Structure formats: C-alpha cells, structure tokens
Amino acid sequence: MEGSKISIAIHGGAGTIARSKMTAEKEQLYTSSLEHALNAGYDILEKGGSALDAVEQAVISLEDCDLFNAGKGCVFNSKGTHELDASIMDGSNRKAGAVAGIYCIKNPISLSRQIMEKTEHVFMMGEGAMEFADAIGIQRVDQDYFYNEDRHKQWLSIRDSEKFQLDHSKEKRKKKIVGEKEDTDKKFGTVGAVAVDKQGNLAAATSTGGMTNKKYGRVGDSPIIGAGTYAYNKTCAVSCTGNGEFFIRGVVAYDVSCLMEYQGLSLQEACDEVIFNRLKEIGGEGGLIAVDARGNVAMPFNSSGMYRGSRSSDGDVVIRIFK
Ligand code: ASP
C-alpha cells in the first residue's frame, strides 16, 4: 500500500456562522489557524508518518489556539469551570482512547492517545483520568490558562439559568438554547482531524470543551467512539461537530462507516445520507469530516458554516468557513 494517496481533513466546529459578523481580520485569523493545523498534520503524512500522529498533531495545534472550543479556548460549564472531552481512534486495529470531564490538561487529545496505548482501557473520566495523566507525566496547566473574556461573558449571561449554549455566541444569544428553532447564531467550536497515510491506514481525533453552561458532568459526543469519532481502515475515519446529544443518539460516526460497509455507499454518499437525512430527522445540527482509504475527503454540514480544511497529495487544498 506504500505510496497511496495521502489526505487529511480538519474542522474547528460547525454552526450558524453569519458572514455578516465575520470581519476580514477575523476570517484571516481563522483561516491561518486552520492552515497551520492542516499543515502540521500533512507534513507528518508527507514524511511517511502515521495517520495517528498526523491527527494528533493537527488537533494539538487547534487545542493550542483559543479561537476554537477545545484545549485553550474551551467554554465554561455551569460551575464556571472547564471540563474537557476528547477521543482518538486508529483505523488499522480499531484501538481507541477517550477522556471525559477532565480539567487542567493542556492537550486532552494526547491523554486520549496515552490511554489507548498505555492502558487496557478505552475510556477514562474525571479524577481517575487525571490521576493517570499525572502518573504518566502529561502536562497540566492552571485553570487560568483557559480564561477567555468573551467566553466568560457568554457564560455569565446564562449562568443562572438552566440553559446551555453553543460556543462562540455573543450577547444576542442570551436566551437561546440547544434545539430552539429561532436560534440564529449557533456555533460549535469543537475541533477534529481525520487522515489516511501512505500505508493506507486511517485515524480520527476529536477534542472539545463541550457547551457553555453545560451541566457539570455532561458529556457530549466528542469522546464517544462511534458517535463523535470513528476510524476503520475498511471504510473511513470520521470526526463530528454539532449538538452532541443528537450525534450520540444518531451514532453518527459509526453510521457513516456502516452505510459504507453494509450498503456499499461511497464516502460522500454515506456522509450526505447521515448529515442531511438521518441526523436532520431527529433534529441534529452540525457536520463532520471524513476520509476513506483511497484518500477521498468529505466535509458535509447541515448548518450554515463549518470551519474546515483538507489537503491531499494530488494537490487539493481547501480551507473554508461558509458553504
Ligand atoms: N459536539 C460537541 C458537544 O456536544 C460540541 C461541538 O461540536 O462544538 O460537546
């Protein structure tokens, strides 16, 4: 398989991203951050590195950027603190690692990978995951590392309510909650990456801070294998973004793989069927990125925008926010 087409795709969240609110300066910031992450992953693939290394590095780059709701830029929960979720999957052997409800970890995606590689487990949460992180010397940061004035204001505006809100919203969204039809400015800032390497191996990774004012202990789709993340060499690698409750109920990432495996759909057909039909049917909003073993890329979303990018060895480079 050595020498096959390599591809990587990344996302920085989907949602109602209003073009009118996007200044040229802001757009440039998002674009260059996406480009930086995309190239961090692509360089690894180009040198013959593994898809797993590529998706981890791309996600680390996005976690370290405070524009996105993962790592440094993560949102505030109902207690005014941060709980981070992440997962990673290796499509060559279907090994996976995931964490939920962790805090003060600079790069949750790397902790997920360590769980996959250094334990017999797949999914660890809360204090136990933190103890494991300390035991293997994963980098901790102060709570202040995650402080961001805009996101703090977002949280203050709804902290005394039962409402929880999607990332990046501003004052206009005070009253909005997940699933409200009239909501016009929803964004999900979760990050993710999928890749296929020269050996034809696939991998997927997803990382998030969840949703503003989410209940303490709430876990979304991002760390759930099969919901927010999935990779299988025979079919595809998928990373999702959107209102997580719906992605969990739709088992979205695995559903894409199943449609390819059991119904023989192409990558694009399977992704479109899930995002535009099956997810929509239950009220889910958002999108996903996916690659298959031949290096094909699909990045469908049923919201108005999704921060996304892809690069393949046939020269294709895409970095886009809107439709
Ligand atoms: N899917 C994430 C969650 O529900 C949110 C996002 O995509 O931004 O936690």
Side-chain angles (χ1 to χ4, degrees), residues 11 13-14 69 85 166-167 187-191 208-211 214 218-222 240-245 247:
H11 71 77
N69 171 22
D85 303 335
L166 305 162
D167 181 37
K187 285 189 203 168
F188 316 86
T190 291
V191 308
T208 189
M211 289 169 154
K214 67 181 179 182
R218 177 264 187 189
V219 177
D221 61 313
S222 309
C240 302
T241 172
N243 39 12
E245 282 67 13
F247 282 72

Side-chain angles (χ1 to χ4, degrees), residues 156-203:
L156 288 178
S157 73
I158 56 166
R159 64 184 284 190
D160 297 324
S161 71
E162 277 292 300
K163 293 164 182 166
F164 61 110
Q165 151 178 304
L166 305 162
D167 181 37
H168 295 309
S169 58
K170 296 241 160 120
E171 52 290 336
K172 286 207 167 128
R173 296 206 49 250
K174 263 182 205 165
K175 299 268 178 337
K176 308 303 182 191
I177 58 170
V178 175
E180 275 186 349
K181 289 229 166 50
E182 71 274 24
D183 197 342
T184 55
D185 188 17
K186 289 189 281 191
K187 285 189 203 168
F188 316 86
T190 291
V191 308
V194 292
V196 55
D197 62 29
K198 285 186 179 168
Q199 277 66 44
N201 290 322
L202 270 58

Side-chain angles (χ1 to χ4, degrees), residues 209-230:
M211 289 169 154
T212 298
N213 210 37
K214 67 181 179 182
K215 278 201 193 328
Y216 180 61
R218 177 264 187 189
V219 177
D221 61 313
S222 309
I224 298 178
I225 298 302
T229 304
Y230 194 70

